[in-house]
C-alpha cells in the first residue's frame, strides 16, 4: 500500500520551516515538474554520463520531465564523441574539462571521488550547483548531505545563481544509507532511535556497470561449467555472498559500513545515535536489501510503525505474513519507492522499544540518480 499523503518537513523533533509549493511537490516520488526542454529552465550538465548512474540520471530526468534550457553530457576523453539519444534529440558526449562548466546552473556528478574533488570546486567557482554522488564531500561540515524526504532543510540556504544564489556543492548520501534511512527516519521522528544495527545485502550495481556485466558473465560461465571471469571483485560473485569489497579499516569495519554510521549521524544531526553495520555483496543486479534492528527511546509497537510508514513519502509497505510476501531486491528494481516489510517487535526486549525491519531499494535509482534529481528539483 503506497501512501500519497503530502509530506511535511521535519528535522528530528523540531518544528519544520515553511516549504514552497514547488519544494513540497518535489518530495513526492510520484510527482514530476512536468516541463522538460524550455527556454527559462536551468542549464544542466551530467558528469559521468556513460556510467550506470550517469545513464540513470538521463532516465530519471526524462521520466520526471525535469526542466532544462540546455543539456551537456560529459565524460572522459575515452568516451568523448559518443552519441546519446535523449528526448528526441541526439547529443554528443563532450570531454570533461574545466571549461565544461561555463554557463552551467546544475551539474549532476557521478564520475568518482577523484573527479569530484578535482572539478567539483571548479564548477562551483563558475556558479554551478553541484549535486555529487561520490563520497568526496559527504562528511565535509560545510556541505549538506541530503535525502529530500528526510532532511531537506539542510540545503534550504542554497539557491541557483539566477535566483540570487551562488555556486555550491550538495552531497548525495551513500546508497545503503539512503535506502536505510528512507525506511527508518519516519519511525525515528516518532520514537527516537537510540541504537540501530544494520546488515546490508548489496547488489552489483553499487560497483558500477562493469560489475553488473561481470555478474551476468560469471553466471553464464558457472552454469556452463567454466571458470568464472573475476576482474572486478577478484573472486567469484555469481551464486556467492562475500564481505563488501571496500577497504578494511583498523577497527575491523570496512569503509561501506562506516559510511552508514557517519552519514546517519550527519543526516539526523545526532552524534549520539549508536549505529553498527555489516555490509555484504550478494549476487543481485541493482537493488539492495537491508535488515535493520532498531532500539527506541520511547515505546513503539508494530501496528503504529505500519501506520507511520504508510504515510511516509517514497515508501511502500509490503508486509503480508499470510502469503509470506515481503520486499525483494527483484521486486523493487527499476522502482522509485523504497519497500519496507517484516515489521515486527523485537522479542529480545520486553518494553516495546525495539523493532525489526527488512528494507529494499533500487541502488541506482533512489540510492543514487533519483535522489540527486530530487535534490535538483528542490532548487527550482
Amino acid at each position: 500500500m503506497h501512501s500519497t499523503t503530502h509530506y511535511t518537513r521535519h528535522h528530528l523533533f523540531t518544528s519544520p520551516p515553511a516549504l514552497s509549493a514547488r519544494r513540497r511537490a518535489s518530495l513526492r516520488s510520484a510527482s514530476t515538474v512536468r516541463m522538460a526542454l524550455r527556454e527559462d529552465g536551468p542549464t544542466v550538465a551530467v558528469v559521468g554520463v556513460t556510467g550506470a548512474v550517469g545513464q540513470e540520471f538521463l532516465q530519471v530526468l526524462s521520466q520526471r520531465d525535469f526542466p532544462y534550457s540546455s543539456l551537456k553530457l560529459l565524460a572522459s576523453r575515452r568516451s568523448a564523441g559518443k552519441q546519446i539519444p535523449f528526448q528526441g534529440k541526439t547529443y554528443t558526449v563532450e570531454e570533461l574539462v574545466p571549461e565544461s562548466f561555463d554557463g552551467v546552473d546544475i551539474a549532476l556528478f557521478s564520475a568518482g571521488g577523484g573527479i569530484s574533488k578535482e572539478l567539483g570546486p571548479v564548477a562551483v567557482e563558475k556558479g554551478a550547483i553541484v549535486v555529487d554522488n561520490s563520497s568526496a564531500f559527504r562528511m565535509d561540515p560545510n556541505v549538506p548531505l541530503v535525502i529530500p524526504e528526510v532532511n531537506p532543510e539542510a540545503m534550504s540556504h542554497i539557491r541557483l545563481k539566477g535566483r540570487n544564489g551562488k555556486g555550491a556543492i550538495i552531497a548525495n548520501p551513500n546508497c545503503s544509507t539512503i535506502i536505510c534511512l528512507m525506511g527508518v527516519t519516519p519511525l525515528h521522528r516518532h520514537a527516537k532511535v537510540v541504537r540501530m544495527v544494520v546488515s546490508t545485502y548489496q547488489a552489483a550495481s553499487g560497483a558500477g556497470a562493469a560489475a553488473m556485466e561481470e555478474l551476468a558473465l560469471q553466471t553464464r560461465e558457472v552454469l556452463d561449467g567454466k571458470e568464472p571471469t573475476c576482474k572486478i571483485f577478484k573472486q567469484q560473485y555469481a551464486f556467492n555472498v562475500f564481505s563488501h569489497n571496500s577497504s578494511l579499516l583498523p577497527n575491523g569495519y570496512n569503509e561501506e559500513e562506516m559510511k552508514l554510521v557517519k552519514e546517519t549521524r550527519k543526516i539526523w544531526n545526532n552524534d549520539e545515535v549508536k549505529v553498527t553495520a555489516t555490509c555484504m555483496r550478494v549476487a543481485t543486479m541493482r537493488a539492495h536489501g537491508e535488515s535493520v534492528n532498531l532500539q527506541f527511546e520511547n515505546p513503539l509497537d508494530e501496528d503504529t510503525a505500519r501506520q507511520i510508514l504508510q504515510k511516509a513519502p517514497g515508501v511502500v509497505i509490503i508486509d503480508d505474513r499470510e502469503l509470506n510476501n515481503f520486499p525483494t531486491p527483484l521486486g523493487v528494481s527499476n522502482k522509485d519507492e523504497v519497500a519496507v516489510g517484516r515489521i515486527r517487535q523485537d522479542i529480545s526486549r520486553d518494553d516495546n522499544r525495539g523493532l525489526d525491519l527488512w528494507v529494499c531499494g533500487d541502488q541506482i535509482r533512489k540510492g543514487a540518480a533519483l535522489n540527486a534529481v530530487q535534490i535538483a528539483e528542490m532548487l527550482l
Side-chain angles (χ1 to χ4, degrees):
M1 175 176 175
H2 176 55
S3 170
T4 56
T5 302
H6 289 241
Y7 176 61
T8 304
R9 278 188 183 184
H10 293 283
H11 181 50
L12 296 182
F13 307 99
T14 61
S15 298
L19 275 176
S20 69
R22 172 64 54 76
R23 288 196 174 202
R24 286 197 301 271
S26 74
L27 298 181
R28 298 192 296 272
S29 63
S31 67
T32 58
V33 181
R34 294 289 176 202
M35 284 182 275
L37 182 61
R38 49 178 289 174
E39 291 183 1
D40 61 348
T43 296
V44 177
V46 177
V47 180
V49 70
T50 56
V53 174
Q55 288 292 293
E56 200 75 15
F57 276 148
L58 294 182
Q59 286 194 39
V60 174
L61 288 169
S62 180
Q63 290 166 356
R64 295 177 73 85
D65 289 323
F66 188 90
Y68 62 95
S69 59
S70 64
L71 182 65
K72 289 187 176 184
L73 305 187
L74 306 172
S76 66
R77 180 181 300 176
R78 184 178 66 253
S79 296
K82 288 185 178 179
Q83 303 288 300
I84 295 180
F86 181 75
Q87 292 193 334
K89 294 179 63 176
T90 299
Y91 291 82
T92 300
V93 177
E94 303 174 32
E95 181 182 355
L96 178 62
V97 294
E99 292 73 28
S100 299
F101 301 102
D102 291 342
V104 169
D105 297 307
I106 299 173
L108 303 174
F109 269 67
S110 189
I115 294 296
S116 292
K117 288 179 180 178
E118 177 186 354
L119 292 176
V122 172
V124 169
E125 184 67 24
K126 292 176 180 287
I129 306 297
V130 171
V131 184
D132 183 43
N133 194 55
S134 80
S135 62
F137 304 103
R138 287 177 186 154
M139 298 313 299
D140 186 325
N142 297 314
V143 173
L145 183 65
V146 176
I147 305 172
E149 297 90 342
V150 173
N151 64 330
E153 70 286 337
M155 58 173 282
S156 61
H157 61 289
I158 296 176
R159 295 286 185 272
L160 291 174
K161 59 187 177 185
R163 303 188 179 191
N164 301 317
K166 58 182 181 180
I169 297 173
I170 303 169
N172 224 25
N174 194 38
C175 50
S176 55
T177 305
I178 294 173
I179 291 166
C180 177
L181 296 192
M182 283 291 293
V184 171
T185 301
L187 307 179
H188 172 57
R189 291 194 182 110
H190 182 87
K192 191 176 182 180
V193 173
V194 294
R195 184 169 187 263
M196 179 168 71
V197 181
V198 185
S199 297
T200 71
Y201 305 81
Q202 298 186 218
S205 57
M212 298 170 73
E213 292 167 4
E214 183 165 290
L215 174 57
L217 173 62
Q218 282 192 9
T219 301
R220 291 191 296 270
E221 290 172 334
V222 172
L223 290 174
D224 288 341
K226 301 176 182 177
E227 283 294 313
T229 300
C230 301
K231 295 180 179 179
I232 305 298
F233 295 111
K234 310 304 180 186
Q235 61 181 304
Q236 181 176 324
Y237 191 10
F239 308 100
N240 199 12
V241 178
F242 53 85
S243 183
H244 193 276
N245 50 292
S246 55
S247 299
L248 280 171
L249 304 172
N251 64 0
Y253 286 73
N254 60 45
E255 288 182 350
E256 188 79 0
E257 292 158 352
M258 291 309 300
K259 286 176 185 177
L260 224 165
V261 173
K262 294 176 181 179
E263 291 177 19
T264 296
R265 290 172 175 167
K266 180 174 179 177
I267 292 166
W268 281 357
N269 192 25
N270 182 350
D271 290 333
E272 296 181 358
V273 63
K274 299 182 185 301
V275 181
T276 185
T278 301
C279 295
M280 307 296 291
R281 286 280 185 208
V282 299
T284 54
M285 194 59 74
R286 58 173 292 154
H288 294 346
E290 305 189 21
S291 171
V292 186
N293 175 267
L294 300 171
Q295 178 181 334
F296 298 99
E297 183 176 281
N298 303 305
L300 178 61
D301 63 78
E302 62 183 59
D303 291 334
T304 302
R306 287 190 189 90
Q307 293 171 13
I308 292 168
L309 291 171
Q310 284 172 353
K311 298 177 182 179
V315 173
V316 60
I317 296 177
I318 304 174
D319 199 39
D320 191 331
R321 295 178 181 177
E322 184 176 345
L323 296 178
N324 198 23
N325 182 34
F326 304 105
T328 66
L330 188 60
V332 299
S333 293
N334 297 294
K335 303 285 181 61
D336 288 350
E337 294 84 3
V338 169
V340 182
R342 299 299 315 279
I343 303 166
R344 61 203 189 277
Q345 220 71 47
D346 179 353
I347 61 172
S348 71
R349 299 184 62 89
D350 299 321
D351 55 5
N352 255 18
R353 286 180 166 84
L355 284 175
D356 287 299
L357 312 172
W358 171 245
V359 184
C360 289
D362 188 302
Q363 182 274 329
I364 310 179
R365 286 191 75 84
K366 184 55 185 171
L370 173 61
N371 198 79
V373 172
Q374 287 177 306
I375 289 171
E377 286 175 347
M378 293 176 65
L379 298 168
L380 301 175

